[in-house]
C-alpha cells in the first residue's frame, strides 16, 4: 500500500484541535473524511503533533496509506479540493510504509507569539496572546535559555497527563522582540515611511525546538516566561521551576491562539 | 466642540465596507453607534477613504466632534471598549474643528497583496488575491511605474461613478515580490532554518500612494497589472489604457480581500 507523508498548515481558530473528538471539527477528522471519499474506505491518519483546540500549524506532518494508486501530487490536489481553506496541504510525498509522523520525528519546532502593547492590531487578534503591560524581554530570554538542554519537564505538563517519561531534550529556546509591526510587516520598501506604526506595541516571538514536548509544555513554559517578563519572578526562577517537577510551581498555561507548530524534522 | 482625529485598523472581511448601508455591518456604523453611546446623541463620523466591502485598513482616519469633554486618550479607550476586536482605534488626537479626514488629505497609501502560487497559506486566505499561474513581476512593475505621475484615470473608475474630475496625481506605484513567506514571515532568526517553505509561492505587494483615488481605481489598476503579469499584454499597454479613458479597455477589478488602506497624510 502506498504510504504518504503530507505537510499541512491550518488556522486552528475554529477547530477542537488536531485530534478527532466526540463533537466539534478536528483537523484529523477533516483529513479522514476527505481520505474516505478518496479511497472508498476508512483511512486512519496519524499526526506528528496533537495540537490543542485553537492552536495553529505552519508545518504539521501527517501520514496515511491508501489502497488507490495515486501520485503524491494527486493526493495533495485531491485533499485540497476536499478540505476547507483554513486547512491546506502544502507538500506531499510518497514514503516508506514504516513511516510514522510522531514516533519517527527527530525534532519539532513550535513558535509562540505575544502581542505586547495596549491595542491589538485586528489582524493579529487570532494569532497572538495579548499582554497589555510592557514585558522585560531580556529577562524572559535569559529564562528561556535555561530551558535549553536535557531536563525533566514534569513541572510543565498538563495535570492528569501520563507520559511514560517527562525528560525531553530542548535544542533551542529563545524569545525576541521582533520589532514594531502593523498588519503584515515590512514587506515593502514603502512600508516604513508610510504605514501607521504604533510605538507602544511589539510582537514577541518565542521559538522552541526539541525532540518532543509534553502536553501543554510550550504554553506552560510561555506562561512561566511571562511571569518573569512581568517582573514577578527573576530569570533564575526558571531553573527552580524545572527542578521542582511540580506543575503548581510553574506559571499559568498561556492561551492557545498564540501557538504554532512550525515544523517537524525526521 | 472638541474635534477628534482617530486612526483605525480593521479586518474588512465581515463588513459591508466603511460606509453605513441600509443593511449589513459597516465600520462607520459601528463607530457612530459607539459614539452615540458615548455622547448621548447622534455623532456623524467622516472617514478618509470609503473602503468597499471586504477591503481592510491598517490606517484609516476618521473625524468627529463630541459635546462631552474627553481627552483624546479617553476617546480611544472608550471606542475600543465598545467596538468588536476586528476594529481597533490605534491612535487618537484632538484637532481643529475645521478638520475633515477626506477633504484635508494630502496623500493616501493603499497596498494590494497577491498570493502567487498553487496553494494559499490558510493565514493569508482573507488577506490576498490568490493567483495560481506564475506572474511576471518585472513586467508588472514596469507597467505599475507608468501609473506614476498626473494622469486622467477615467479608465480605472467603477462604471456609474460621477467624480467631478478623474485626474489624480500618483506619487508611487510599484509592485515587488516580497519573497517566500509562510504564515508570519521571517520574524525570528530560527525561521529560515526550521519553518516549512513553499518554493512555488510568493507574496506580491503592490504599493500605491497618491493625492486621491477614484472608486475601484486601485483594484482596477491591479486587475490591469495582472493581465500584464499573465503575459496577455505588454507593460506598455498600461499607457494605452490610461490614454483611452475607457473602463472597458482596462483589466478586471481585482477582488477586495487583497486591498488595504495603509495610511493617510495631512
Amino acid at each position: 500500500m502506498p504510504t504518504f507523508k503530507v505537510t499541512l498548515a491550518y488556522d486552528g481558530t475554529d477547530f477542537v484541535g488536531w485530534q478527532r473528538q466526540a463533537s466539534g471539527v478536528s483537523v484529523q477528522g477533516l483529513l479522514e473524511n476527505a481520505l474516505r471519499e478518496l479511497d472508498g474506505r476508512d483511512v486512519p491518519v496519524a499526526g506528528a503533533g496533537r495540537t490543542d483546540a485553537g492552536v495553529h500549524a505552519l508545518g504539521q506532518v501527517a501520514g496515511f496509506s491508501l489502497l488507490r494508486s495515486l501520485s503524491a501530487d494527486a493526493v495533495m490536489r485531491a485533499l485540497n479540493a476536499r478540505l476547507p481553506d483554513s486547512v491546506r496541504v502544502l507538500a506531499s510525498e510518497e514514503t516508506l510504509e514504516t513511516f510514522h509522523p510522531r514516533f519517527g520525528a527527530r525534532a519539532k519546532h513550535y513558535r509562540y507569539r505575544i502581542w505586547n502593547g495596549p491595542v491589538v492590531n485586528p489582524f493579529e487578534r487570532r494569532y497572538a496572546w495579548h499582554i497589555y503591560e510592557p514585558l522585560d524581554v531580556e529577562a524572559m530570554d535569559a529564562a528561556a535559555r535555561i530551558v535549553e538542554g536535557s531536563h525533566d519537564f514534569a513541572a510543565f505538563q498538563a495535570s492528569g497527563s501520563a507520559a511514560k517519561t517527562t525528560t525531553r531534550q530542548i535544542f533551542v529556546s529563545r524569545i525576541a522582540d521582533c520589532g514594531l509591526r502593523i498588519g503584515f510587516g515590512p514587506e515593502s520598501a514603502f512600508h516604513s515611511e508610510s504605514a501607521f506604526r504604533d510605538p507602544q506595541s511589539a510582537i514577541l516571538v518565542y521559538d522552541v525546538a526539541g525532540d518532543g514536548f509534553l502536553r501543554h509544555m510550550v504554553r506552560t513554559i510561555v506562561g512561566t516566561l511571562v511571569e518573569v517578563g512581568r517582573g514577578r519572578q527573576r530569570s533564575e526562577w526558571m531553573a527552580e521551576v524545572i527542578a521542582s517537577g511540580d506543575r503548581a510551581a510553574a506559571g499559568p498555561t498561556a492561551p492557545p491562539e498564540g501557538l504554532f507548530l512550525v515544523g517537524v524534522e525526521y
Side-chain angles (χ1 to χ4, degrees), chain A:
Chain A
M1 259 164 73
T3 298
F4 296 93
K5 173 193 173 197
V6 296
T7 306
L8 296 155
Y10 47 84
D11 179 337
T13 308
D14 298 327
F15 300 127
V16 296
W18 162 262
Q19 206 159 16
R20 195 187 267 277
Q21 307 281 331
S23 71
V25 181
S26 67
V27 182
Q28 185 187 36
L30 286 170
L31 272 169
E32 292 185 344
N33 292 349
L35 288 168
R36 188 186 306 115
E37 248 185 73
L38 202 62
D39 213 36
R41 59 169 198 121
D42 283 346
V43 179
V45 174
R50 282 178 251 170
T51 56
D52 287 316
V55 173
H56 314 288
L58 296 170
Q60 169 77 284
V61 173
F64 49 82
S65 299
L66 298 180
L67 290 177
R68 259 182 86 175
S69 167
L70 285 171
S71 72
D73 229 50
V75 167
M76 171 164 155
R77 281 196 307 269
L79 285 175
N80 280 333
R82 285 164 175 83
L83 290 165
D85 62 3
S86 51
V87 182
R88 292 287 91 184
V89 179
L90 302 178
S92 167
E93 57 181 279
E94 208 175 322
T95 184
L96 300 176
E97 246 183 88
T98 54
F99 173 72
H100 191 288
R102 184 144 45 94
F103 306 135
R106 275 197 310 118
K108 285 178 200 164
H109 172 185
Y110 283 93
R111 176 172 297 162
Y112 196 96
R113 304 172 79 250
I114 294 172
W115 178 276
N116 191 208
V119 181
V120 189
N121 191 275
F123 303 98
E124 297 287 354
R125 70 195 194 279
R126 299 188 180 108
Y127 310 119
W129 181 13
H130 183 200
I131 297 181
Y132 296 77
E133 57 178 303
L135 297 173
D136 180 342
V137 186
E138 274 181 50
M140 291 171 80
D141 190 50
R145 285 165 192 250
I146 293 170
V147 171
E148 295 182 353
S150 187
H151 305 285
D152 182 339
F153 287 102
F156 299 91
Q157 182 173 228
S159 50
S161 307
K164 268 178 227 150
T165 158
T166 48
T167 296
R168 296 290 183 274
Q169 198 184 346
I170 300 302
F171 310 125
V172 169
S173 168
R174 308 271 170 95
I175 187 162
D177 179 342
C178 287
L180 305 170
R181 289 192 351 131
I182 288 297
F184 298 97
E187 286 174 331
S188 93
F190 315 111
H191 184 274
S192 53
E193 291 101 284
S194 321
F196 176 81
R197 279 166 172 271
D198 172 359
Q200 295 178 287
S201 294
I203 295 262
L204 310 186
V205 176
Y206 174 61
D207 275 285
V208 61
D211 64 0
F213 292 88
L214 303 166
R215 179 129 200 270
H216 287 187
M217 180 169 150
V218 180
R219 288 163 58 190
T220 308
I221 292 172
V222 171
T224 304
L225 293 177
V226 166
E227 293 294 292
V228 172
R230 291 191 207 267
R232 293 179 188 163
Q233 300 283 353
R234 300 196 316 146
S235 305
E236 298 73 27
W237 175 60
M238 180 61 84
E240 296 167 32
V241 174
I242 295 173
S244 76
D246 177 10
R247 175 65 190 84
T253 308
E257 64 267 23
L259 185 59
F260 294 76
L261 172 52
V262 176
V264 188
E265 278 168 51
Y266 294 92

